[in-house]
Amino acid sequence: MKRLIILSVIFLIAGCSSSLPNKTYYQLTSDFSDSTHLQPRKVTDVIFIDNVKVANYLDKNGIVYQIDKIKYVTANNNLWLTPLSDQIKQRLLQDLSILLPNYLITAQPSLSPKASIKLYIESFHGVDTGDAVIKGYWLISNTKGVITKPFDYTLRLANDGYTALVNTLSLGWQEEEIDLVKNVKF
């Protein structure tokens, strides 16, 4: 009888533990080669990444998905590896160091940076139409004043699923970084 009870308890525990969904963690990627970033180089000026702020509804562990015009859901099992604002800031530090090799890109305050960047992300999510949306604006302060640069992307996902969404968001973010470097003179 004791064996039957013990076996029942073991099967019950095994059954409960196998029904829990697996959590999957995602990180933004970059296609830029960072081998040049590791090489010694002479920098002429400093660009300070002052602040990266994401909208409150994005400031969660779960990846956000828009299911209609007014409803958004935050995934419980498909999560950002680190907070989204931290991931975007890390992408900025690494990617801008590659795209602007004559500048030191830093998140540490500097005595006299050539420019200071603040970034505000209003949208960075998937949509049930099979798209990814990236929207926000930059505030770039330099000796000439303050430059505001808005951006707004709607990008088609190549496939269904969170992996395709994160890959599309990563590629879209790289497009915006390239556009920033092309259109803003530091």
Side-chain angles (χ1 to χ4, degrees):
M1 185 66 164
K2 283 186 176 181
R3 271 192 179 160
L4 183 60
I5 293 173
I6 292 172
L7 285 174
S8 296
V9 170
I10 290 172
F11 285 125
L12 180 64
I13 291 171
C16 290
S17 67
S18 65
S19 65
L20 295 176
N22 291 330
K23 294 191 183 299
T24 305
Y25 297 88
Y26 294 90
Q27 182 170 332
L28 294 174
T29 62
S30 175
D31 288 338
F32 300 129
S33 168
D34 61 354
S35 61
T36 57
H37 178 63
L38 301 174
Q39 303 297 321
R41 60 195 167 112
K42 182 179 179 185
V43 295
T44 55
D45 285 304
V46 174
I47 295 176
F48 172 48
I49 307 296
D50 183 12
N51 190 22
V52 174
K53 175 76 175 133
V54 299
N56 288 339
Y57 78 99
L58 297 170
D59 198 17
K60 312 220 181 304
N61 292 335
I63 296 173
V64 174
Y65 196 77
Q66 184 178 357
I67 57 174
D68 67 27
K69 288 184 179 183
I70 60 170
K71 290 183 188 174
Y72 295 78
V73 294
T74 302
N76 292 320
N77 297 314
N78 293 283
L79 310 170
W80 292 113
L81 183 62
T82 58
L84 182 58
S85 58
D86 292 348
Q87 287 196 46
I88 291 173
K89 190 171 200 172
Q90 191 61 37
R91 288 273 42 91
L92 276 176
L93 290 167
Q94 291 177 358
D95 294 347
L96 292 183
S97 292
I98 293 164
L99 294 170
L100 298 167
N102 294 329
Y103 291 89
L104 172 64
I105 311 298
T106 183
Q108 300 301 317
S110 170
L111 293 176
S112 56
K114 174 93 175 194
S116 176
I117 296 176
K118 292 182 181 184
L119 173 62
Y120 298 91
I121 302 287
E122 300 164 351
S123 298
F124 203 89
H125 59 80
V127 183
D128 67 352
T129 58
D131 296 317
V133 176
I134 302 171
K135 182 179 180 183
Y137 61 97
W138 305 87
L139 286 179
I140 301 135
S141 303
N142 59 25
T143 56
K144 299 173 188 169
V146 178
I147 301 164
T148 302
K149 182 191 177 301
F151 54 89
D152 189 351
Y153 294 88
T154 300
L155 306 159
R156 194 80 181 145
L157 272 61
N159 299 302
D160 290 339
Y162 285 98
T163 299
L165 173 59
V166 173
N167 285 335
T168 303
L169 289 169
S170 295
L171 290 172
W173 186 245
Q174 282 181 208
E175 286 181 35
E176 177 52 29
E177 290 174 326
I178 291 168
D179 190 62
L180 172 75
V181 169
K182 284 182 179 176
N183 291 304
V184 175
K185 303 299 177 215
F186 295 99

